[in-house]
Structures are given as structure tokens and as C-alpha cells.
Amino acid sequence: MSSKLIIALDYPTAEQALSFVENLSPEICKLKVGFELFVASGPDFVKQLVDQGYDVFLDLKFHDIPNTVASACRSASNLGVWMMNVHASGGDNMMRAAKQALLDMRSPAKLIAVTVLTSMDKEQLEMSNVMLSPQDQVKSLAQITKESLLDGVVCSAQEAKMLREQLGKEFLLVTPGIRPKGAEIGDQSRVMTPSDANGAGVSYIVVGRPITQSDNPLAVIDSINIDLS
Ligand code: C5P
């Protein structure tokens, strides 16, 4: 069975990321490439990971007019990535256009949406004239995401149980903010352990520093995979 663990490759250079990846294998984890690494290393680096057999989640959170986002998704799909994402606040026309662009490709990547950034609290939302609580706004955008036929959302593990009940068992819930017992919390605030997240019904967890900054990354990966099984 393929792993539910996605490792966030938050490195500034391809060299550093590749030297970490050298010790891994596609059977034990998937990989996430975000802004920092993509801007520094570019599409060829992403292709390199894909060619090594990894499921790659390209975390670039597209948010633009429907035609532009659809084209960006097409370009990302050409790299052979497994999953990519957009901002749900870009609207249902944007999400539908992106999904359709992918369905027109030979092997469509999964498409998920970011609902409310975890850095946005009630006050920040109100400043953008969103009067719903962050939780209700997450629910509302997740519903629009599902109706736009996307595969799932990025969400916090705290929201997972509620969204699983609301959106059914096929909808993907991809969850960062995960910390194994005893790990440094760092700048994350409301964290959950891998096994609690698994119990809450998440589909995949995203873990960065507890693995990339560990003295023994393989041991941490093994123990997380056991927690997720
Ligand atoms: O190192 P850590 O496990 O905190 O990394 C989590 C990863 O998930 C980072 O790449 C971060 O950008 C991403 N992420 C997050 N919270 C969100 C969305 C994405 O931590 N709400």
C-alpha cells in the first residue's frame, strides 16, 4: 500500500533537497515541492523527482483568472506531478476550468484547493469583508470545492473530522501541522499527531521539519508510516 505521508521538501536549493531525497524511496513517502524550492530549482528539478518514481505534490497554490490557472495546471501536469493545488477563494469558475484542463490531459493529476490559510484569523477575514468565522468559511469553501469537482482540500487536522462528515469518504483531506509525539512544534500552532490525524479521517499528512531536521529521518518516517497504517 502506498504511503499516506507527504514530506515537505522545504529546502533553498535543489542540491540540498536531492541530498536528502537520496536516502528515501518512493515506497515510504511522497514529496511536496513548494514555492521556495520551485522558484530556486524550477521544473526540471520537479521532473527529476518524478523520474525517480516519486509521487510529487506541487504546492504552488494557483490563484488567478480561470484561463490562466487552467493553463498553469496544464503546464504542471506536463511535469508528471501526482497532485497540485489552487486557492478555493479563486471561485468555482476558476476551479472548474482548472479541473477540466487536467481531465483533458492523458494522466490527470489530482487537484485540491486551499480553503482558508491558517494564518488568517477572524480579524483578518473581517478585514477582507468575510464575516463568517474561519471554521464556517472553511466549510463553505470546501463545499464549493467539492461542487467544482475537485479531488479534495488542504485542511488542518482539527477540521478533518468535520469535513469528512460533510464531504464524504472519497474527498481528499490533506493535512499539514502534524507533529509526532515529542517533536518540536516550531511555528505551527494547533498541531496533531500522525495517529490522531489518521483517526480523524485525513487522506494524507504533510510533514516537514520533524523529518528533514531529524538526526534519523528514516526512523521518523518508519514510525509515522506505522502510525498511519
Ligand atoms: O515543517 P512543517 O511540518 O511545519 O511543514 C509543513 C508544510 O506544510 C510546510 O511546507 C508549510 O508551508 C505547509 N503548510 C502549512 N500550513 C498550511 C498550509 C501549508 O504548514 N496551512
Side-chain angles (χ1 to χ4, degrees):
M1 204 179 102
S2 86
S3 176
K4 290 176 163 183
L5 168 65
I6 304 172
I7 300 181
L9 285 183
D10 293 326
Y11 290 100
T13 65
E15 291 67 35
Q16 280 169 274
L18 286 172
S19 105
F20 172 74
V21 169
E22 234 170 47
N23 301 307
L24 308 178
S25 70
E27 292 73 40
I28 59 172
C29 62
K30 305 181 191 312
L31 300 174
K32 177 173 94 68
V33 176
F35 288 135
E36 180 186 19
L37 191 52
F38 187 77
V39 170
S41 317
D44 287 343
F45 166 76
V46 173
K47 264 197 214 150
Q48 223 175 313
L49 298 177
V50 171
D51 289 346
Q52 288 183 28
Y54 285 98
D55 282 341
V56 176
F57 170 21
L58 190 62
D59 179 19
L60 297 181
K61 303 183 181 70
F62 298 134
H63 187 175
D64 208 315
I65 58 171
N67 185 57
T68 303
V69 169
S71 304
C73 287
R74 230 175 269 123
S75 297
S77 184
N78 280 332
L79 301 177
V81 302
W82 160 69
M83 185 158 79
M84 64 185 83
N85 58 0
V86 297
H87 270 284
S89 53
D92 72 322
N93 284 341
M94 185 202 80
M95 287 195 279
R96 284 174 193 276
K99 182 66 187 176
Q100 191 53 54
L102 290 175
L103 289 176
D104 292 342
M105 309 289 292
R106 223 173 328 126
S107 44
K110 293 185 190 310
L111 183 64
I112 62 174
V114 174
T115 55
V116 178
L117 292 171
T118 43
S119 53
M120 297 290 281
D121 57 14
K122 191 165 171 39
E123 200 185 333
Q124 292 282 309
L125 286 180
E126 280 173 6
M127 279 174 75
S128 337
N129 288 319
V130 175
M131 299 308 164
L132 293 179
S133 68
Q135 202 189 54
D136 285 343
Q137 177 70 346
V138 166
K139 274 176 146 174
S140 158
L141 287 172
Q143 188 65 41
I144 297 169
T145 301
K146 186 172 181 191
E147 286 163 12
S148 303
L149 307 178
L150 268 63
D151 300 289
V153 288
V154 180
C155 68
S156 86
Q158 267 82 10
E159 296 156 355
K161 199 163 175 292
M162 163 188 93
L163 292 176
R164 180 60 69 222
E165 281 162 15
Q166 181 190 339
L167 302 162
K169 63 179 179 10
E170 303 300 331
F171 200 67
L172 299 181
L173 303 177
V174 179
T175 308
I178 300 291
R179 290 292 177 268
K181 271 207 180 78
E184 292 268 334
I185 288 180
D187 56 0
Q188 295 284 5
S189 49
R190 295 178 306 138
V191 300
M192 217 184 242
T193 63
S195 57
D196 287 347
N198 200 34
V202 309
S203 313
Y204 300 101
I205 63 168
V206 176
V207 184
R209 289 159 292 178
I211 296 172
T212 56
Q213 294 184 10
S214 159
D215 294 336
N216 190 348
L218 287 177
V220 182
I221 293 170
D222 271 355
S223 121
I224 292 177
N225 277 329
I226 289 168
D227 286 347
L228 294 176
S229 61

